[in-house]
PDB file of all heavy atoms in Angstrom:
ATOM      1  N   ILE A  35     -47.478 -24.871 173.093  1.00  0.00           N
ATOM      2  CA  ILE A  35     -46.855 -25.294 174.426  1.00  0.00           C
ATOM      3  C   ILE A  35     -45.744 -26.275 174.173  1.00  0.00           C
ATOM      4  O   ILE A  35     -45.870 -27.241 173.401  1.00  0.00           O
ATOM      5  CB  ILE A  35     -47.948 -25.887 175.342  1.00  0.00           C
ATOM      6  CG1 ILE A  35     -48.808 -24.740 175.841  1.00  0.00           C
ATOM      7  CG2 ILE A  35     -47.266 -26.621 176.441  1.00  0.00           C
ATOM      8  CD1 ILE A  35     -49.810 -25.178 176.921  1.00  0.00           C
ATOM      9  N   PRO A  37     -43.790 -29.082 175.864  1.00  0.00           N
ATOM     10  CA  PRO A  37     -44.089 -29.705 177.067  1.00  0.00           C
ATOM     11  C   PRO A  37     -42.882 -30.238 177.668  1.00  0.00           C
ATOM     12  O   PRO A  37     -41.716 -30.611 177.087  1.00  0.00           O
ATOM     13  CB  PRO A  37     -44.773 -31.047 176.606  1.00  0.00           C
ATOM     14  CG  PRO A  37     -44.565 -31.171 175.154  1.00  0.00           C
ATOM     15  CD  PRO A  37     -44.172 -29.838 174.582  1.00  0.00           C
ATOM     16  N   CYS A  38     -42.667 -30.230 178.983  1.00  0.00           N
ATOM     17  CA  CYS A  38     -41.699 -30.818 179.771  1.00  0.00           C
ATOM     18  C   CYS A  38     -42.236 -31.125 181.114  1.00  0.00           C
ATOM     19  O   CYS A  38     -42.505 -30.412 181.981  1.00  0.00           O
ATOM     20  CB  CYS A  38     -40.480 -29.727 179.973  1.00  0.00           C
ATOM     21  SG  CYS A  38     -39.130 -30.361 181.006  1.00  0.00           S
ATOM     22  N   ILE A  39     -42.390 -32.428 181.303  1.00  0.00           N
ATOM     23  CA  ILE A  39     -43.034 -33.080 182.468  1.00  0.00           C
ATOM     24  C   ILE A  39     -42.184 -34.053 183.157  1.00  0.00           C
ATOM     25  O   ILE A  39     -41.692 -34.895 182.489  1.00  0.00           O
ATOM     26  CB  ILE A  39     -44.389 -33.811 182.138  1.00  0.00           C
ATOM     27  CG1 ILE A  39     -45.157 -33.063 181.117  1.00  0.00           C
ATOM     28  CG2 ILE A  39     -45.135 -34.193 183.393  1.00  0.00           C
ATOM     29  CD1 ILE A  39     -45.836 -31.864 181.748  1.00  0.00           C
ATOM     30  N   SER A  83     -44.204 -19.428 181.392  1.00  0.00           N
ATOM     31  CA  SER A  83     -44.360 -20.821 181.969  1.00  0.00           C
ATOM     32  C   SER A  83     -45.441 -20.815 182.988  1.00  0.00           C
ATOM     33  O   SER A  83     -46.078 -19.810 183.189  1.00  0.00           O
ATOM     34  CB  SER A  83     -42.942 -21.254 182.655  1.00  0.00           C
ATOM     35  OG  SER A  83     -42.599 -20.313 183.559  1.00  0.00           O
ATOM     36  N   PHE A  84     -45.648 -21.988 183.543  1.00  0.00           N
ATOM     37  CA  PHE A  84     -46.709 -22.070 184.515  1.00  0.00           C
ATOM     38  C   PHE A  84     -46.277 -22.215 185.899  1.00  0.00           C
ATOM     39  O   PHE A  84     -46.064 -23.416 186.416  1.00  0.00           O
ATOM     40  CB  PHE A  84     -47.706 -23.242 183.978  1.00  0.00           C
ATOM     41  CG  PHE A  84     -47.940 -23.075 182.514  1.00  0.00           C
ATOM     42  CD1 PHE A  84     -47.318 -23.748 181.528  1.00  0.00           C
ATOM     43  CD2 PHE A  84     -49.008 -22.171 182.233  1.00  0.00           C
ATOM     44  CE1 PHE A  84     -47.645 -23.531 180.261  1.00  0.00           C
ATOM     45  CE2 PHE A  84     -49.350 -22.089 180.888  1.00  0.00           C
ATOM     46  CZ  PHE A  84     -48.633 -22.723 179.837  1.00  0.00           C
ATOM     47  N   ASP A  86     -47.352 -22.068 188.851  1.00  0.00           N
ATOM     48  CA  ASP A  86     -47.988 -22.792 189.794  1.00  0.00           C
ATOM     49  C   ASP A  86     -47.952 -24.357 189.450  1.00  0.00           C
ATOM     50  O   ASP A  86     -48.556 -25.188 190.361  1.00  0.00           O
ATOM     51  CB  ASP A  86     -49.569 -22.404 189.827  1.00  0.00           C
ATOM     52  CG  ASP A  86     -50.216 -22.437 188.521  1.00  0.00           C
ATOM     53  OD1 ASP A  86     -49.477 -22.259 187.415  1.00  0.00           O
ATOM     54  OD2 ASP A  86     -51.382 -22.567 188.462  1.00  0.00           O
ATOM     55  N   LYS A  87     -47.441 -24.676 188.391  1.00  0.00           N
ATOM     56  CA  LYS A  87     -47.378 -26.119 187.957  1.00  0.00           C
ATOM     57  C   LYS A  87     -45.967 -26.726 188.122  1.00  0.00           C
ATOM     58  O   LYS A  87     -45.871 -27.998 188.150  1.00  0.00           O
ATOM     59  CB  LYS A  87     -47.689 -26.328 186.388  1.00  0.00           C
ATOM     60  CG  LYS A  87     -49.117 -25.901 186.058  1.00  0.00           C
ATOM     61  CD  LYS A  87     -50.230 -26.900 186.383  1.00  0.00           C
ATOM     62  CE  LYS A  87     -51.583 -26.438 186.113  1.00  0.00           C
ATOM     63  NZ  LYS A  87     -51.871 -26.326 184.773  1.00  0.00           N
ATOM     64  N   ASN A  90     -45.766 -29.656 190.425  1.00  0.00           N
ATOM     65  CA  ASN A  90     -46.222 -30.954 189.879  1.00  0.00           C
ATOM     66  C   ASN A  90     -45.150 -31.468 188.805  1.00  0.00           C
ATOM     67  O   ASN A  90     -45.417 -32.470 188.191  1.00  0.00           O
ATOM     68  CB  ASN A  90     -47.658 -30.760 189.157  1.00  0.00           C
ATOM     69  CG  ASN A  90     -48.621 -30.177 190.189  1.00  0.00           C
ATOM     70  OD1 ASN A  90     -48.577 -30.419 191.294  1.00  0.00           O
ATOM     71  ND2 ASN A  90     -49.430 -29.409 189.630  1.00  0.00           N
ATOM     72  N   ASN A  92     -44.260 -29.849 186.087  1.00  0.00           N
ATOM     73  CA  ASN A  92     -44.723 -29.364 184.831  1.00  0.00           C
ATOM     74  C   ASN A  92     -43.888 -28.054 184.539  1.00  0.00           C
ATOM     75  O   ASN A  92     -44.264 -27.049 184.950  1.00  0.00           O
ATOM     76  CB  ASN A  92     -46.160 -29.247 184.843  1.00  0.00           C
ATOM     77  CG  ASN A  92     -46.750 -28.824 183.425  1.00  0.00           C
ATOM     78  OD1 ASN A  92     -46.037 -28.418 182.593  1.00  0.00           O
ATOM     79  ND2 ASN A  92     -47.968 -28.988 183.285  1.00  0.00           N
ATOM     80  N   PHE A  93     -42.886 -28.309 183.696  1.00  0.00           N
ATOM     81  CA  PHE A  93     -42.094 -27.197 183.360  1.00  0.00           C
ATOM     82  C   PHE A  93     -42.244 -26.684 181.935  1.00  0.00           C
ATOM     83  O   PHE A  93     -41.298 -26.087 181.287  1.00  0.00           O
ATOM     84  CB  PHE A  93     -40.607 -27.478 183.696  1.00  0.00           C
ATOM     85  CG  PHE A  93     -40.325 -27.761 185.111  1.00  0.00           C
ATOM     86  CD1 PHE A  93     -40.052 -29.009 185.395  1.00  0.00           C
ATOM     87  CD2 PHE A  93     -40.143 -26.887 186.119  1.00  0.00           C
ATOM     88  CE1 PHE A  93     -39.989 -29.535 186.691  1.00  0.00           C
ATOM     89  CE2 PHE A  93     -40.059 -27.302 187.417  1.00  0.00           C
ATOM     90  CZ  PHE A  93     -39.964 -28.584 187.725  1.00  0.00           C
ATOM     91  N   SER A  94     -43.441 -26.998 181.438  1.00  0.00           N
ATOM     92  CA  SER A  94     -43.782 -26.638 179.984  1.00  0.00           C
ATOM     93  C   SER A  94     -43.772 -25.167 179.790  1.00  0.00           C
ATOM     94  O   SER A  94     -43.982 -24.373 180.820  1.00  0.00           O
ATOM     95  CB  SER A  94     -45.138 -27.271 179.698  1.00  0.00           C
ATOM     96  OG  SER A  94     -45.330 -28.647 180.014  1.00  0.00           O
TER      97      SER A  94
HETATM   98  C1  NAG B 202     -48.766 -28.635 182.145  1.00  0.00           C
HETATM   99  O1  NAG B 202     -49.299 -27.289 182.223  1.00  0.00           O
HETATM  100  C2  NAG B 202     -49.970 -26.820 181.105  1.00  0.00           C
HETATM  101  C3  NAG B 202     -50.271 -25.461 181.417  1.00  0.00           C
HETATM  102  O2  NAG B 202     -51.332 -25.454 182.385  1.00  0.00           O
HETATM  103  C4  NAG B 202     -51.027 -27.674 180.597  1.00  0.00           C
HETATM  104  O3  NAG B 202     -51.563 -27.161 179.389  1.00  0.00           O
HETATM  105  C5  NAG B 202     -50.602 -29.051 180.425  1.00  0.00           C
HETATM  106  O4  NAG B 202     -51.638 -29.884 180.145  1.00  0.00           O
HETATM  107  C6  NAG B 202     -49.886 -29.678 181.702  1.00  0.00           C
HETATM  108  N1  NAG B 202     -49.431 -30.950 181.373  1.00  0.00           N
HETATM  109  C7  NAG B 202     -49.584 -32.036 182.113  1.00  0.00           C
HETATM  110  C8  NAG B 202     -49.074 -33.307 181.623  1.00  0.00           C
HETATM  111  O5  NAG B 202     -50.172 -31.804 183.194  1.00  0.00           O
END
Side-chain angles (χ1 to χ4, degrees):
I35 286 189
C38 178
I39 313 290
S83 58
F84 308 96
D86 55 331
K87 301 280 173 69
N90 305 325
N92 186 339
F93 302 102
S94 308

